[in-house]
Amino acid sequence: MARAAGASVYSPDMLATKYGSRPIKVTLRSLEVLTALGSFAAKLALDRWRGQLDQRMRSRAAELREIFTKLGPTFVKIGQGLSTRPDICPPEYLEELAQLQDALPTFPNVQAFSCIEEELGLPLESIYSSISPAPIAAASLGQVYKAQLKYSEQVVAVKVQRPGIEEAIGLDFYLLRGLGVLINKYVDVISTNVVALIDEFARRVYQELNYVQEGLNARRFKKLYADKEDVLVPDIFWDYTSAKVLTMEWVDGVKLNQQEAIEKQGLKLLDLVNTGIQCSLRQLLEYGYFHADPHPGNLLATPEGKLAFLDFGMMSETPEQARFAIIGHVVHLVNRDYEAMAQDYYALDFLPPDVDVSPIVPVLKGFFDDVLNSTVSELNFKTIVDGLGNVLYQFPFNVPAYYALILRSLTVLEGLALYADPNFKVLAASYPYFAKRLLTDPNPYLRDALIELLFKDGRFRWNRLENLLVQGSKDRDFTAKDALQPVLKLLLDPDGEQLRVLVVKEAIYVTEAVVLGTAIDTYNSIPDLFKTLVFNGNASQPFKFSLEEQQKMLELRDRIFRIWGLLTASRNFDPSILQPVLQTLQEPAARNLGGRVVGGVTQRLAARLLQQVLLS
C-alpha cells in the first residue's frame, strides 16, 4: 500500500500550475486537437448545408472513431465514454464509438522492465524466473506481460503502465477543462455544467492509473461475486503490486467473442453468456458494485467452463434507490404503464423533480406499444436500448453514468450471444432474476411493485403469479420458502388493510372455484345412467349457472393447483418450510383475516345453494 502513496490524483489546480507556465507545449497540443476536431466539425457543417447529415451519419461516426484513436489515450477514453451516452449521441455514433478498443502501439520492453524494477525496488531477475519477451496485450494506459514468480513458480499477469501517460492525459484534461470553462460562460444553449462533467470523467481516468486501487477493486469484486462456482476472479499479488505495476493470477482462457475456440474446448458460448448476465444482474441490482467495462477482451472462458472477469480499473456503483427503481421500471414496462415509467425517471435521477414528464408519456407509448407486440421475454435488448436512446435524445435527460454503463454492459453480453444464436434475447435470460427478486425480496419498494403487478381493477391476476413462479423457478437461488414469508408479512402489516380486503375477496373466489370445480368434476365423472337415476331422469347439467361461468371456475381452480405444484417443485422444497407460515397464521391479525375469509366463503356458498333451490 505504501507504494501507492505517490499515485497521481486528479487536481485541476495542480494541472493549471503545471501547464500554465508551458505555453508552447499547450499551444502545439491545442493546434493538433483543434485541427483534427475542427476539420471534422467542418465536414458535419458541410453535410448539414447539403442536406446529407442523416445520409452520411454512419461514415462520419466511423471517421470520429479514427480521429479519437489517433489523438491518443485521453480521446480513446472520451470516445468510450460517449459510446454509453444515448442522451448525447445518436445511435450510429454509439455503435461506432463502442468499437473503440484500447489498442495503441506497444512501448519498448526496456521501458517496461525499468518501470517494474523502479516501482518494486528489486532487479527483474530476482522477481521472475521468466517473463514473456513481448507484451501479451497492449492498451491505452499500459501493457501486459506473462511471467513466473521466482519464489513460488506461480504464473502471473504483470500489467505495466505506459510511460508518460500522466503527462499526456494531464495536458489533455487541462485543455478540455479550459474549453469547459468557456462553454459554461458563453454557450447558453448548454445548461449542463460542462466543467463538472470533465472533472468527474478525469477523476475516473486518473483512478485507472492507480493500479493499487485496481487491485482493491478486484478484491472487492471477488468477495462479492466469486461465491458462484461458475465465476472466476483472479487473485492479486500485493508484494508485487504498486501504483504503476499490477501483478495478478494468470488466467488461461479464450476471449468470449471467439466462439469457435470456445466450442473446441467443449464449452457452449450461450452458457457462458448466461453466466455473465446473471452475474451482471447481481452486480447491478443486488450489491450495486459493478464492472463498468465488460468488453470481450475482459471476459474469458476458462477450460473448466468458468467465466473469468479481468481488468478492474473502471468500476461503478448503482445507488440503492436506483436498484429498486430499475426493477420497478421493468414491472411498469410489463404492465405498459407509461405514466409510471415516466415517473420512474425521477427515482432514476434522469430528471430533476421540477421537470414535467407528461410530454414523454406519448413518446414512450408510441415506441413500446410497437415493440411490445412480442412478449417482454422475446424482446431484443438492443432494440429497446436504441428506442430509449431516441427518446432520451429528444428530451433534456441527464443519464447518470451508472445507468449508461448498465445499458452498455447488457448490450455487450447480448451482442456476444447473438454470434452463437441470432434468436437469443437477453431479457429472456434476465427475467428469472427479476421474477425471483419480486417474489422474494422484502424491500417495501419491490413489495409494492409486486402488488402492482399482481392486482388490477380489484382482481388478482393469477396468470401473472403463475408466470412469475415459472420464471423465478429458473433461477438457481429461488426457493418457495423465500417467496411465501415476505408475502405473509406484507399481508399482516398494520398498514395492509387495503390489500387484505383484496386478498379476502380473492380467497373467497378461489375457495368457491376449488369447491364447486371439484363438484363439477365429480358430477362429470358419473356415468350417464347413474346421472339419470340420481337426478330424476335428467342427465343434463344440474348446476344453475352458465357453462361459461363453470369453465372460468375450472380454469381458476386448475391454475391454483398448477401454482401449488410450482411451489412444491422448487429446489429444496420441504413441507417443514410451512411451519413458519403456520406460526404466522396463529397471530391475531392472521386469525382475524382467516375468519373474514371463512365468513365470506360461507356467504358465497349459501348464495349459490339458494340459487340452486330457487331455479330448480
Side-chain angles (χ1 to χ4, degrees):
M1 300 299 171
R3 295 192 186 116
S8 297
V9 177
Y10 175 68
S11 169
D13 292 337
M14 288 180 64
L15 291 180
T17 301
K18 181 176 182 179
Y19 294 107
S21 59
R22 302 166 72 177
I24 296 177
K25 190 177 186 69
V26 170
T27 301
L28 290 175
R29 180 58 173 169
S30 299
L31 288 173
E32 182 184 3
V33 173
L34 288 174
T35 300
L37 296 181
S39 63
F40 178 75
K43 291 174 183 178
L44 286 183
L46 188 61
D47 289 343
R48 182 185 293 276
W49 182 71
R50 291 174 173 173
Q52 298 178 331
L53 199 61
D54 292 337
Q55 180 183 342
R56 306 205 64 177
M57 189 171 290
R58 174 69 64 181
S59 61
R60 294 302 183 206
E63 188 176 337
L64 182 62
R65 171 172 53 80
E66 293 173 3
I67 290 172
F68 280 164
T69 301
K70 290 177 182 176
L71 285 175
T74 307
F75 287 88
V76 168
K77 290 294 181 186
I78 290 173
Q80 290 177 335
L82 288 173
S83 74
T84 68
R85 298 300 301 262
D87 56 328
I88 296 176
C89 298
E92 291 84 357
Y93 280 82
L94 295 178
E95 291 179 15
E96 282 295 331
L97 295 177
Q99 297 177 35
L100 271 172
Q101 297 295 318
D102 287 324
L104 291 178
T106 61
F107 55 91
N109 286 345
V110 173
Q111 291 179 302
F113 296 161
S114 174
C115 178
I116 293 172
E117 292 181 336
E118 183 179 338
E119 287 289 308
L120 302 185
L122 294 168
L124 203 68
E125 59 272 12
S126 70
I127 304 173
Y128 311 113
S129 56
S130 66
I131 189 167
S132 57
I136 303 299
S140 60
L141 303 183
Q143 59 193 34
V144 179
Y145 293 86
K146 184 178 182 180
Q148 191 171 39
L149 293 175
K150 193 166 187 177
Y151 88 98
S152 66
E153 299 302 315
Q154 174 78 43
V155 179
V156 294
V158 184
K159 185 175 178 180
V160 187
Q161 195 169 109
R162 187 176 291 274
I165 190 70
E166 293 178 33
E167 178 75 17
I169 67 171
L171 176 56
D172 284 341
F173 281 123
Y174 171 73
L175 294 173
L176 289 170
R177 199 174 193 277
L179 178 61
V181 170
L182 294 176
I183 292 174
N184 281 351
K185 189 172 182 178
Y186 296 110
V187 182
D188 296 331
V189 179
I190 300 177
S191 57
T192 304
N193 186 337
V194 178
V195 171
L197 288 176
I198 292 171
D199 285 345
E200 174 61 25
F201 180 68
R203 272 189 286 271
R204 284 182 176 274
V205 174
Y206 268 78
Q207 283 177 2
E208 286 192 67
L209 293 179
N210 184 350
Y211 286 173
V212 170
Q213 183 59 53
E214 181 174 344
L216 293 172
N217 293 343
R219 183 168 69 179
R220 182 181 177 190
F221 190 90
K222 184 182 183 77
K223 182 178 179 181
L224 290 176
Y225 308 116
D227 58 326
K228 301 299 180 186
E229 60 183 16
D230 47 10
V231 173
L232 174 66
V233 180
D235 288 321
I236 304 298
F237 291 84
W238 293 105
D239 289 342
Y240 304 101
T241 293
S242 72
K244 296 183 179 180
V245 176
L246 176 65
T247 303
M248 65 168 58
E249 174 187 1
W250 179 266
V251 178
D252 284 312
V254 179
K255 290 182 180 180
L256 225 55
N257 60 353
Q258 297 177 357
Q259 182 182 355
E260 186 176 340
I262 289 173
E263 291 178 348
K264 282 183 179 178
Q265 294 185 354
L267 305 175
K268 293 182 179 178
L269 176 60
L270 287 181
D271 291 343
L272 292 158
V273 170
N274 198 48
T275 296
I277 290 171
Q278 300 308 316
C279 186
S280 294
L281 291 170
R282 290 183 71 207
Q283 292 174 52
L284 304 170
L285 303 176
E286 205 160 310
Y287 296 105
Y289 184 69
F290 66 94
H291 195 298
D293 193 22
H295 64 71
N298 291 337
L299 298 170
L300 297 183
T302 72
E304 300 79 25
K306 293 185 178 184
L307 179 65
F309 284 82
L310 306 176
D311 193 351
F312 300 92
M314 186 180 292
M315 308 297 288
S316 190
E317 299 200 42
T318 314
E320 185 176 17
Q321 179 186 10
R323 292 177 228 161
F324 300 123
I326 290 169
I327 298 175
H329 201 58
V330 172
V331 172
H332 298 147
L333 173 63
V334 172
N335 286 341
R336 302 194 187 204
D337 189 347
Y338 304 120
E339 291 185 4
M341 285 182 71
Q343 293 292 325
D344 289 336
Y345 295 131
Y346 296 131
L348 290 168
D349 203 25
F350 278 28
L351 297 167
D354 58 339
V355 173
D356 180 21
V357 294
S358 56
I360 302 169
V361 175
V363 180
L364 290 172
K365 178 177 173 60
F367 170 67
F368 281 111
D369 273 351
D370 183 34
V371 299
L372 286 176
N373 288 332
S374 304
T375 63
V376 171
S377 63
E378 292 176 343
L379 287 176
N380 183 297
F381 187 74
K382 188 177 183 303
T383 301
I384 292 181
V385 171
D386 288 346
L388 276 176
N390 287 327
V391 172
L392 299 177
Y393 191 61
Q394 293 176 42
F395 294 95
F397 280 93
N398 179 33
V399 177
Y402 75 84
Y403 191 79
L405 292 168
I406 287 171
L407 296 184
R408 178 186 179 188
S409 212
L410 294 177
T411 303
V412 166
L413 288 167
E414 183 175 63
L416 290 169
L418 291 175
Y419 282 116
D421 180 6
N423 297 315
F424 181 86
K425 303 294 183 290
V426 74
L427 284 179
S430 304
Y431 204 57
Y433 176 86
F434 282 99
K436 182 203 72 174
R437 285 292 299 277
L438 282 170
L439 287 168
T440 62
D441 198 311
N443 178 271
Y445 189 98
L446 296 187
R447 293 273 61 84
D448 291 344
L450 179 62
I451 293 171
E452 184 181 333
L453 186 66
L454 296 180
F455 284 92
K456 184 178 182 180
D457 300 328
R459 288 303 309 269
F460 190 87
R461 294 189 281 189
W462 291 98
N463 62 317
R464 287 283 173 86
L465 177 59
E466 183 180 10
N467 184 49
L468 282 175
L469 287 168
V470 168
Q471 294 295 331
S473 63
K474 296 176 183 177
D475 189 285
R476 67 180 65 181
D477 297 325
F478 175 80
T479 65
K481 180 180 180 180
D482 293 334
L484 289 172
Q485 281 296 95
V487 171
L488 274 174
K489 289 178 182 177
L490 173 70
L491 189 60
L492 302 178
D493 189 272
D495 298 325
E497 177 58 28
Q498 186 176 1
L499 177 62
R500 285 193 286 274
V501 169
L502 294 174
V503 168
V504 166
K505 184 168 69 172
E506 202 60 40
I508 292 168
Y509 286 133
V510 169
T511 306
E512 179 190 42
V514 171
V515 172
L516 295 183
T518 301
I520 292 169
D521 274 352
T522 302
Y523 173 80
N524 290 336
S525 66
I526 299 174
D528 288 345
L529 176 62
F530 288 102
K531 289 179 185 176
T532 304
L533 293 174
V534 173
F535 295 100
N536 298 322
N538 180 16
S540 62
Q541 289 279 7
F543 301 104
K544 304 304 179 182
F545 39 92
S546 68
L547 291 175
E548 181 182 358
E549 194 173 1
Q550 291 181 42
Q551 186 62 34
K552 286 182 178 179
M553 283 187 188
L554 291 172
E555 288 176 359
L556 176 56
R557 183 205 60 178
D558 292 345
R559 192 179 294 277
I560 298 300
F561 288 165
R562 286 199 301 273
I563 288 171
W564 175 248
L566 287 168
L567 288 171
T568 56
S570 69
R571 292 179 185 84
N572 303 320
F573 179 82
D574 187 321
S576 64
I577 70 168
L578 296 177
Q579 184 175 355
V581 176
L582 296 174
Q583 290 173 350
T584 305
L585 292 175
Q586 298 301 312
E587 297 177 10
R591 288 200 298 269
N592 178 49
L593 185 65
R596 290 161 65 179
V597 172
V598 170
V601 170
T602 303
Q603 291 179 14
R604 185 82 174 175
L605 293 178
R608 287 290 189 188
L609 179 60
L610 182 60
Q611 181 186 37
Q612 288 288 112
V613 172
L614 293 177
L615 296 178
S616 58

